[in-house]
Amino acid sequence: MPIISFQDVRKTYDHVPVLDQFNLTIEQGEFVVLLGPSGCGKTTILKLINGLLKPDKGVISVHSKALSEWDLIQLRRRIGYVIQQVGLLPHLTIEKNICYTLNLIKASKDDMNKRAKELIDFVGMDESYLKRYPRALSGGQQQRIGVARALASDPDIILMDEPFGAVDEVTRRSLQDEMLKIHQKLGKTIIFVTHDIEEAIKLGTRIVLLNEGRIDRDYNKKSFVLTKERSDYAEHFFGSKDFIAYLNTISISACLNKVMDISSNHKDDYPSINGNLSILQGIQRCIETQHNTLCVVDDQAHQLGYFSINSIYHLL
Amino acid sequence: MQFFYRVLQLYIERWDFFLELLLEHIYLTFIAILLISTIGIILGITMTRNGTLANIIMTIVNFIYTIPSIALFGFFVSITGIGFKSALIALVIYGLLPIIRNTYVGISEVDSFLIESSIGMGTTNFQLLYKVQLPLALPVIFAGFRTMVIMTIALGAIASFIGAGGLGVAIWRGITTYYPEMTFAGSMLVALLAIILDFILGRIEKIIKKKTFGI
C-alpha cells in the first residue's frame, strides 16, 4: 500500500505547467530523494503533499486517502516539514520551537517538556539549549532543531526541502549522517528535495531525477547509479558524479575478501586501511601506494580481510 | 527669568485648576488611545487578509491625514456638535494612521518562510495570527502605538478649542486674554505629559524588541 501517491497530477503557475500528467508512488519507509536543477518542480511536488499547493488536476493521496478528503490541518500535523531557511520562530525558546506542533494540539506541559529533552538529545545537542533562543544558535544547530521539531509529533512522513543547503560542508555531512541514523532508527518515510548529487546518492534509498516536471530516472540507489541506459539529460546532469558519490557511500568492510590466495607470511607487505573508510578512499590508497591489494583493519587494528579493486566488482 | 518665575507662581496659585485640566486631558486622550488601538489593530489585521481592501483603507486614512487637524475638529463640530464627543471622534480618526499602517506593515513583513513553515506544520488561520504574525509584528505595531500616543496627547490640546476641556483650555485662555504665562503653563504640561509617556513607552518598546528579535 503506497503511503503517498500522485495520479495524473497537473500543476501550473500563471498557466505555465510545472507538472503535467505526473505520477509517483512512495512506499512506507522509503527515503526518496527528489533530485534536479532549480525549476524542475521538486519543491512543488513537496508542497503538493502537505497541501501548501493545490493541484489543478489529478489526485494526490496520503495514507490511501485523497487530499481533498483530508482535514489539511490534521494531516499537516502528521507530516514533518523542514525547509532550507529552517523557520524557527525567533520569539520562542528552542523548547517551545521543538514543541510547536505539540502545542498546537494542546499536549500537556509535562509531555512537551519530556519530548523536547528526548528530541534535543536525539539530534545530538545539549539540553541547556532548550532555554535559549534560535538567534543564539549557529545555522547547523538551528537546522538540527528544525529536524527535532519535525519529529516532535512522531509523524510517519517527513518532507525536507533542501534542508542542508545553507550550512557549511562539514556541518552538512554531519547532518546527513544524522538523517541516515534517523531513517534507520525510526523507519520514517522521508521525501527529501535537493540539487546536490552527492547528497542525493548518500541519503536516498531511492532517487528520482526530475527534468522540467517529468521523471527522468527513478530507481533504488544501486540501480540508479549502475543501470547503464541513461537519457542525454541524465548523462549531462551527472557525468560521473553519481558514480563517484556512490563509491563514496559504500564502506570498504562491505566488500571484503575474507580469504586471499596469498601466503600468510606475505601479509605484512600490504598497506593497511580502516574498514570504515569508503571504497573510493580504498581506491585512492591503492593508487597512492601502488598496490593492488590492501589489508583491511578495524579501529583496534585487528585484521578483517583484504580489499582489492577486483573485490568491488561483485558490488557493481 | 521673570517670566518663568511668574509661570511657576501661576502653577502654585492655580494648581487645582491645572490638575483638573490635566486629568481631563488624560481622560480624553486615554479613551481616544483605547479606541484607536482597538479599531486600528482590527483594521490593520483585516487589511493583511484582503489586498483590495488594504489599498482602499490606506488611501482613505492617508487622505484624512492630509486634512489639517483644526479643520477636522471644525468639521465634526458641524456634525456632532461642540464638546467631548466631537473631539473624541476627531482624535480617533486622526490617530488611526500610524496604528493601521504599522499593524499592516508589521504583519506583512513577517518572513514568508516563517508563515509557510508554520502553515506546513498544521497551524490554523487564527493560530497563525496570534502565535506567529502578531508576536512577530509586535515591535512594529508598538512603534506605531508610541507615535500615536504622543500625537494624540499633543492633538488633545486642540480639542479644547471645540469645548472638550483638557489642557488646551489654559492655552486658549492665555491666547484670548493675552496672558502668555497661562499659554506657556498649559503648553508645558502637555509637553511634559508627552515626554514622560514617550520615555516610558520607549523603554517598553526596547523590552519588546529584545524579546522578539534579541536586539
Side-chain angles (χ1 to χ4, degrees):
Chain A
M1 223 33 194
I3 192 164
I4 296 168
S5 76
F6 285 70
Q7 286 156 33
D8 297 326
V9 171
R10 179 182 168 84
K11 174 70 192 169
T12 57
Y13 292 118
D14 296 329
H15 307 293
V16 181
V18 177
L19 298 177
D20 201 6
Q21 295 278 305
F22 185 82
N23 289 285
L24 179 71
T25 54
I26 293 168
E27 302 294 330
Q28 174 96 39
E30 280 190 299
F31 195 139
V32 180
V33 175
L34 302 175
L35 178 64
S38 40
C40 70
K42 51 197 195 304
T43 296
T44 304
I45 294 169
L46 215 60
K47 287 183 180 171
L48 284 166
I49 296 173
N50 64 4
L52 286 177
L53 295 173
K54 302 246 175 315
D56 298 321
K57 240 192 209 135
V59 182
I60 298 157
S61 310
V62 178
H63 289 295
S64 313
K65 195 161 121 184
L67 275 197
S68 50
E69 290 163 36
W70 270 102
D71 174 354
L72 276 183
I73 300 290
Q74 296 306 324
L75 177 67
R76 285 172 187 152
R77 289 174 184 173
R78 293 178 53 183
I79 299 180
Y81 189 41
V82 185
I83 59 172
Q84 181 174 346
Q85 305 90 329
V86 193
L88 296 182
L89 295 168
H91 61 294
L92 298 180
T93 59
I94 297 302
E95 176 168 4
K96 287 196 172 142
N97 265 295
I98 291 178
C99 296
Y100 184 82
T101 39
L102 296 178
N103 189 17
L104 291 182
I105 57 172
K106 299 192 170 60
S108 80
K109 274 222 166 83
D110 290 346
D111 284 351
M112 286 198 274
N113 195 274
K114 210 177 114 212
R115 190 83 180 122
K117 282 183 181 161
E118 241 171 62
L119 284 166
I120 201 158
D121 197 47
F122 192 74
V123 296
M125 282 173 66
D126 192 82
E127 276 181 24
S128 64
Y129 282 104
L130 286 176
K131 294 289 167 231
R132 299 209 197 165
Y133 285 85
R135 58 181 169 268
L137 273 60
S138 70
Q141 289 173 324
Q142 288 194 17
Q143 197 52 288
R144 277 177 202 273
I145 300 301
V147 172
R149 177 174 69 171
L151 292 170
S153 63
D154 200 19
D156 310 309
I157 302 168
I158 300 173
L159 307 178
M160 308 186 82
D161 193 352
E162 302 200 24
F164 311 140
V167 296
D168 66 86
E169 183 67 31
V170 177
T171 310
R172 186 182 318 151
R173 246 179 279 150
S174 98
L175 281 163
Q176 288 166 350
D177 292 337
E178 211 73 59
M179 279 321 295
L180 284 173
K181 199 178 85 187
I182 287 170
H183 181 243
Q184 276 156 16
K185 263 196 193 167
L186 306 178
K188 308 274 184 207
T189 309
I190 301 174
I191 298 103
F192 191 106
V193 162
T194 185
H195 58 255
D196 182 329
I197 295 167
E198 283 175 37
E199 184 166 71
I201 305 289
K202 177 172 178 181
L203 294 179
T205 57
R206 173 182 167 195
I207 298 141
V208 179
L209 176 67
L210 294 160
N211 178 15
E212 292 177 354
R214 279 170 294 105
I215 294 177
D216 185 271
R217 195 172 175 81
D218 175 9
Y219 290 108
N220 67 41
K221 180 177 352 215
K222 186 174 172 183
S223 313
F224 188 89
V225 177
L226 299 174
T227 302
K228 278 224 178 77
E229 306 79 42
R230 296 213 288 197
S231 67
D232 291 346
Y233 173 76
E235 191 64 41
H236 178 70
F237 188 81
F238 288 116
S240 59
K241 270 192 156 180
D242 57 334
F243 183 67
I244 291 173
Y246 181 64
L247 291 184
N248 224 341
T249 59
I250 305 170
S251 68
I252 289 175
S253 44
C255 56
L256 280 182
N257 264 356
K258 291 282 184 212
V259 201
M260 284 281 296
D261 48 354
I262 42 175
S263 55
S264 57
N265 49 0
H266 280 99
K267 73 180 182 190
D268 292 339
D269 296 345
Y270 298 103
S272 68
I273 189 162
N274 190 305
N276 294 329
L277 296 177
S278 71
I279 294 181
L280 195 64
Q281 285 164 305
I283 296 171
Q284 186 185 1
R285 176 64 63 85
C286 287
I287 295 168
E288 278 169 4
T289 59
Q290 305 211 325
H291 272 80
N292 285 330
T293 307
L294 300 173
C295 174
V296 180
V297 296
D298 63 11
D299 291 334
Q300 280 78 41
H302 294 134
Q303 190 180 337
L304 298 172
Y306 291 92
F307 169 81
S308 69
I309 294 190
N310 303 353
S311 63
I312 65 178
Y313 289 168
H314 74 275
L315 267 174
L316 304 183
Chain B
M1 278 324 282
Q2 277 280 309
F3 179 77
F4 293 114
Y5 178 70
R6 286 201 300 274
V7 171
L8 198 65
Q9 217 170 22
L10 190 63
Y11 278 138
I12 295 167
E13 279 167 18
R14 305 284 304 275
W15 66 269
D16 51 339
F17 169 70
F18 284 110
L19 183 67
E20 196 191 329
L21 292 186
L22 181 67
L23 290 179
E24 270 177 19
H25 202 100
I26 292 174
Y27 178 67
L28 172 67
T29 45
F30 180 76
I31 294 188
I33 288 165
L34 219 64
L35 284 172
I36 295 167
S37 307
T38 317
I39 300 171
I41 290 174
I42 290 173
L43 278 179
I45 291 169
T46 319
M47 283 162 69
T48 59
R49 312 249 152 163
N50 185 332
T52 333
L53 190 71
N55 283 331
I56 295 171
I57 294 179
M58 228 35 219
T59 311
I60 295 174
V61 175
N62 274 323
F63 167 71
I64 291 172
Y65 212 56
T66 61
I67 303 172
S69 51
I70 199 135
L72 199 65
F73 280 103
F75 176 69
F76 278 103
V77 168
S78 65
I79 298 176
T80 42
I82 270 182
F84 188 82
K85 203 162 84 183
S86 291
L88 190 62
I89 294 173
L91 281 181
V92 167
I93 289 182
Y94 213 64
L96 279 175
L97 178 74
I99 279 282
I100 288 184
R101 188 184 49 202
N102 283 37
T103 306
Y104 177 62
V105 171
I107 291 180
S108 310
E109 285 188 349
V110 173
D111 285 320
S112 60
F113 65 82
L114 284 179
I115 304 289
E116 199 165 65
S117 70
S118 300
I119 296 174
M121 289 186 294
T123 312
T124 62
N125 263 337
F126 184 60
Q127 286 170 331
L128 187 69
L129 186 66
Y130 82 91
K131 277 184 191 294
V132 181
Q133 290 174 316
L134 280 180
L136 288 174
L138 192 61
V140 182
I141 297 175
F142 196 82
F145 177 77
R146 187 176 161 197
T147 311
M148 178 273 286
V149 167
I150 306 311
M151 202 177 81
T152 306
I153 287 172
L155 213 55
I158 297 179
S160 339
F161 290 38
I162 58 169
L167 290 164
V169 171
I171 300 171
W172 187 232
R173 189 170 298 173
I175 293 171
T176 49
T177 59
Y178 195 67
Y179 190 179
E181 289 82 356
M182 182 63 98
T183 307
F184 188 80
S187 311
M188 274 298 289
L189 283 179
V190 176
L192 211 63
L193 186 62
I195 289 170
I196 292 172
L197 266 170
D198 190 50
F199 178 77
I200 297 171
L201 294 177
R203 280 300 169 91
I204 299 175
E205 196 180 333
K206 259 196 188 143
I207 295 170
I208 290 176
K209 262 195 186 150
K210 190 156 179 57
K211 270 204 102 168
T212 314
F213 300 120
I215 34 170

